[in-house]
Amino acid sequence: MAPVLFPLGDSAITIDYGNIIDEAINDKVLARFHDLQKHPLPGMIEAIPAYSSLTIVYDLFKLRSLVKQGSIYAWFAEQVKDWLGQDLAIGKETFRSIRIPVCYDGPDLISVAEQKGISPEEVIRLHLEGRYRVYMLGFLPGFAYMGKLSPKLFMPRKKQPENMLAGSVAIAGDQTGIYPLNSPGGWWVIGRTDVQLFDASSYEPCLLRPGDRIEFYSSTQCSL
Amino acid sequence: MNRVLHNRFTIEKAGLLDTIQDLGRYGQQRSGINPCGAMDGYALQLANALVGNLLEEAGLELHFPASVFRAEHSMLIALAGADMDARLNGEPIPLLHPVKLKKNDLLQFAALRSGYRCYMAIEGGLYVSEEGYSSSTNLKAGYGGHEGRALKKADVLKAYESTDAFLPSGVLPWTVDPVFETTTDHVRIIPGHEWERLSSQQQQDLLQQNFIIDKRSDRMGCRLAGDPLILSKSEELVSSAVNFGTIQLLPDGSPIVLMADHQTTGGYPRIAHVIKADLSKLAQKKPGDPVRFKLVTQEEAESSFIRQQEYLLQLSKVCRLKLSHLDHKL
């Protein structure tokens, strides 16, 4: 199905592949995203991948001299359509594999187990068993939305956000994530990790990138 | 050439929320890194133009009550945006003029008279660690700007030695006109992807009512109080990118305009977007102020922003000429 293009304000365009969390669709988004990282479109400032969409922010002021008539958006959308017409190998990319140690003693572990009617050990086993992909980053610097979680662990978000510590490993819906910073959040914390997900002084400040494949392993050494 | 760092200001008394900001840390939103930057980037650029800086140079964004500054060295500054009744050693100084400070001068702000956020540019810029290609303070992640936080008492701001030694002290006799085009007080918007989810009556309601800036507004978002707009169709959206100026509709029917510190992605309906050229207008409204929207075309949004930037470049050239002329005369 052809994606839908629409303006995201007067300085960005979104390419929307449908309102769905799906690996095959996320593969398309990431293939397009990686192509733009290598070959940016004229006037592009940056590209932002999400579950099923890719947004390109462009520089209106730089593009003004290239566009003779009509809106800059319409001109840029034509460039995007041409680019979307070029075939890319989808799902053939190799992604980084990252293993993350987790101490499974989060404050919500028991509560999740009780609500799901399983033992805490089973919660841990199900979380460890998963092979996750980073669909996208958002919410906080370095916060990766990883899926999909075993359906046996699906929990709705908490009604009221609570204060989360950096390194909290949490679940909500069919996703798992790690809070990179101390922040309010509504996910269920089942563990914690020492791994630093965000380091402002680094050239690449965020550990995780869209498309990374994540495995968790159980650890007993957490300083937090 | 080795440039010499000087102490510029000591903060004698902390303000409510004064931070170092430039035009934002773009290029890392793929990692969830929010751009931050000046809420009113236009005012920051006006101030930069007046002191001969590059337009995108980092400056100070002040909220009232603002910090009290003690000059540790002579320097050229300019103020733009909100009128906070600035006083130099007790004497009023005007907005939108270059002002040469002497060592030990005291700069204070006595009252919020119009607008909401005031910007101070310092000739030569401020010395900050540029993490992620930008000087903007990211309050959430605690980095950028001055130690990743708002200024507090006894902070010392540094800057490179500048070339303003020939300028006389006090207010320099030229100004710039902040109005780059004649418009009404409306904040102009363009439709968002979920605009059509509003009934035509709700679209009219959005355009015809006076919203009030809610007191829960901050650098992340400008919340609007008014008659709620409840969508008949409430399909959930999976998260995708949002923009500075995106108007999201919250589940309780109240709109929120995403501002400089916005998260990179969101899942609420994007009913509209404030155009880039009018973000300045919105950023200068304080809690309790009314705001009315006007729907315009994509072309008008684009051309208005381009005119704004062209105007700034023109002012920048004129101001540099004035400064160099004064250098030569003395």
Side-chain angles (χ1 to χ4, degrees):
Chain A
M1 197 183 70
V4 175
L5 306 186
F6 59 85
L8 186 73
D10 50 14
S11 58
I13 182 170
T14 295
I15 305 160
D16 186 3
Y17 289 89
N19 188 32
I20 187 171
I21 302 179
D22 175 89
E23 294 202 352
I25 286 180
N26 191 244
D27 278 341
K28 283 191 201 175
V29 169
L30 294 178
R32 287 287 160 193
F33 167 68
H34 287 123
D35 190 55
L36 283 181
Q37 297 298 102
K38 279 177 271 172
H39 313 288
L41 293 171
M44 169 177 139
I45 294 175
E46 63 178 316
I48 313 164
Y51 287 115
S52 57
S53 68
L54 179 62
T55 296
I56 305 171
V57 184
Y58 52 84
D59 188 331
L60 273 180
F61 198 63
K62 264 191 194 152
L63 286 171
R64 75 194 190 286
S65 54
L66 289 177
V67 181
K68 300 293 173 233
Q69 57 177 25
S71 73
I72 291 173
Y73 171 77
W75 183 90
F76 199 82
E78 283 306 312
Q79 309 298 307
V80 170
K81 279 183 207 157
D82 286 350
W83 170 67
L84 290 173
Q86 299 164 20
D87 284 333
L88 289 182
I90 309 288
K92 298 277 190 291
E93 292 167 275
T94 50
F95 292 104
R96 303 189 308 167
S97 289
I98 296 176
R99 300 186 76 231
I100 294 176
V102 179
C103 293
Y104 284 98
D105 56 1
D108 299 323
L109 179 67
I110 305 296
S111 164
V112 169
E114 279 171 1
Q115 291 180 65
K116 302 315 286 186
I118 53 179
S119 66
E121 291 73 24
E122 182 66 359
V123 172
I124 296 168
R125 196 188 64 77
L126 289 167
H127 192 255
L128 280 171
E129 186 183 78
R131 298 292 172 268
Y132 305 100
R133 77 156 57 204
V134 175
Y135 280 93
M136 59 178 279
L137 288 96
F139 172 52
L140 290 172
F143 185 93
Y145 290 88
M146 295 178 267
K148 290 187 175 177
L149 198 63
S150 161
K152 291 176 191 154
L153 293 180
F154 285 11
M155 296 283 292
R157 283 170 192 231
K158 292 179 181 173
K159 294 228 161 48
Q160 290 295 328
E162 292 167 13
N163 289 325
M164 301 290 182
L165 293 174
S168 295
V169 177
I171 59 172
D174 60 2
Q175 304 280 305
T176 184
I178 309 168
Y179 286 85
L181 310 166
N182 295 342
S183 161
W187 291 24
W188 302 82
V189 180
I190 58 170
R192 62 215 159 93
T193 182
D194 273 352
V195 171
Q196 195 178 2
L197 288 124
F198 177 76
D199 174 11
S201 64
S202 166
Y203 177 71
E204 274 284 343
C206 301
L207 175 69
L208 302 181
R209 299 180 204 158
D212 285 349
R213 301 300 198 259
I214 309 299
E215 259 183 61
F216 296 106
Y217 65 96
S218 186
S219 166
T220 50
Q221 297 184 338
C222 293
S223 58
L224 288 170
Chain B
M1 187 181 83
N2 275 332
R3 296 173 71 196
V4 184
L5 268 178
H6 283 297
N7 288 350
R8 276 298 142 103
F9 282 120
T10 299
I11 308 303
E12 296 240 321
K13 193 176 162 198
L16 181 66
L17 178 65
D18 298 341
T19 56
I20 296 177
Q21 300 292 347
D22 59 16
L23 297 180
R25 184 177 283 104
Y26 284 88
Q28 297 181 321
Q29 292 195 79
R30 64 177 188 278
S31 300
I33 296 181
N34 44 341
C36 307
M39 292 284 277
D40 181 352
Y42 181 62
L44 173 63
Q45 292 179 84
L46 286 174
N48 274 326
L50 281 160
V51 297
N53 282 350
L54 290 175
L55 292 172
E56 62 268 26
E57 188 64 68
L60 289 165
E61 177 179 280
L62 311 177
H63 287 84
F64 193 82
S67 304
V68 175
F69 297 87
R70 172 77 66 183
E72 298 292 344
H73 199 274
S74 67
M75 75 191 110
L76 190 67
I77 65 156
L79 301 169
D83 180 353
M84 294 186 177
D85 190 10
R87 303 294 179 100
L88 184 60
N89 305 320
E91 293 299 313
I93 55 167
L95 281 178
L96 297 166
H97 276 265
V99 182
K100 173 81 180 283
L101 306 189
K102 307 183 301 297
K103 185 174 160 67
N104 286 329
D105 275 353
L106 191 70
L107 180 63
Q108 290 167 286
F109 298 85
L112 182 60
R113 295 203 289 209
S114 72
Y116 192 41
R117 298 178 166 100
C118 180
Y119 293 82
M120 174 163 38
I122 294 122
E123 199 246 22
L126 286 164
Y127 173 78
V128 287
S129 57
E130 283 204 14
E131 286 157 323
Y133 326 104
S134 163
S135 310
S136 283
T137 309
N138 187 321
L139 291 166
K140 184 99 191 171
Y143 75 111
H146 188 77
E147 299 179 4
R149 58 168 172 77
L151 300 181
K152 61 184 191 194
K153 189 177 171 169
D155 278 346
V156 178
L157 303 179
K158 292 174 187 294
Y160 286 112
E161 187 177 32
S162 58
T163 52
D164 56 22
F166 300 105
L167 299 174
S169 293
V171 178
L172 299 184
W174 66 87
T175 184
V176 296
D177 182 356
V179 180
F180 77 99
E181 63 179 6
T182 346
T183 57
T184 58
D185 190 44
H186 289 86
V187 169
R188 290 170 292 175
I189 59 173
I190 51 180
H193 192 53
E194 283 79 33
W195 171 255
E196 296 296 339
R197 289 199 189 177
L198 297 171
S199 66
S200 50
Q201 183 58 50
Q202 288 174 323
Q203 293 173 356
Q204 289 311 307
D205 287 350
L206 181 72
L207 296 170
Q208 280 165 8
Q209 68 171 302
N210 266 319
F211 287 99
I212 302 293
I213 309 284
D214 191 273
K215 61 177 185 303
R216 290 169 298 169
S217 300
D218 57 18
R219 281 188 39 94
M220 282 180 71
C222 186
R223 285 165 170 263
L224 303 174
D227 296 333
L229 302 163
I230 305 293
L231 296 180
S232 53
K233 191 172 121 203
S234 67
E235 184 197 358
E236 279 197 31
L237 298 167
V238 304
S239 286
S240 67
V242 291
N243 205 343
F244 189 176
T246 298
I247 308 181
Q248 288 186 325
L249 195 60
L250 300 179
D252 68 359
S254 62
I256 178 169
V257 188
L258 301 181
M259 301 300 280
D261 283 354
H262 70 84
Q263 295 179 8
T264 56
T265 56
Y268 294 122
R270 297 146 293 192
I271 54 173
H273 304 270
V274 172
I275 72 171
K276 277 166 87 77
D278 281 5
L279 287 169
S280 161
K281 245 185 229 174
L282 188 62
Q284 290 300 348
K285 292 187 187 293
K286 62 184 181 298
D289 282 354
V291 55
R292 282 193 71 163
F293 294 117
K294 181 184 173 199
L295 195 65
V296 297
T297 61
Q298 195 86 17
E299 281 94 333
E300 177 171 342
E302 292 170 355
S303 59
S304 189
F305 177 73
I306 289 166
R307 277 200 301 282
Q308 193 181 60
Q309 285 309 115
E310 279 170 348
Y311 181 70
L312 284 166
L313 286 174
Q314 204 187 336
L315 292 183
S316 167
K317 273 186 203 152
V318 173
C319 289
R320 282 179 180 212
L321 214 65
K322 293 250 189 204
L323 284 168
S324 65
H325 187 65
L326 204 61
D327 257 4
H328 289 303
K329 249 188 356 196
L330 291 161

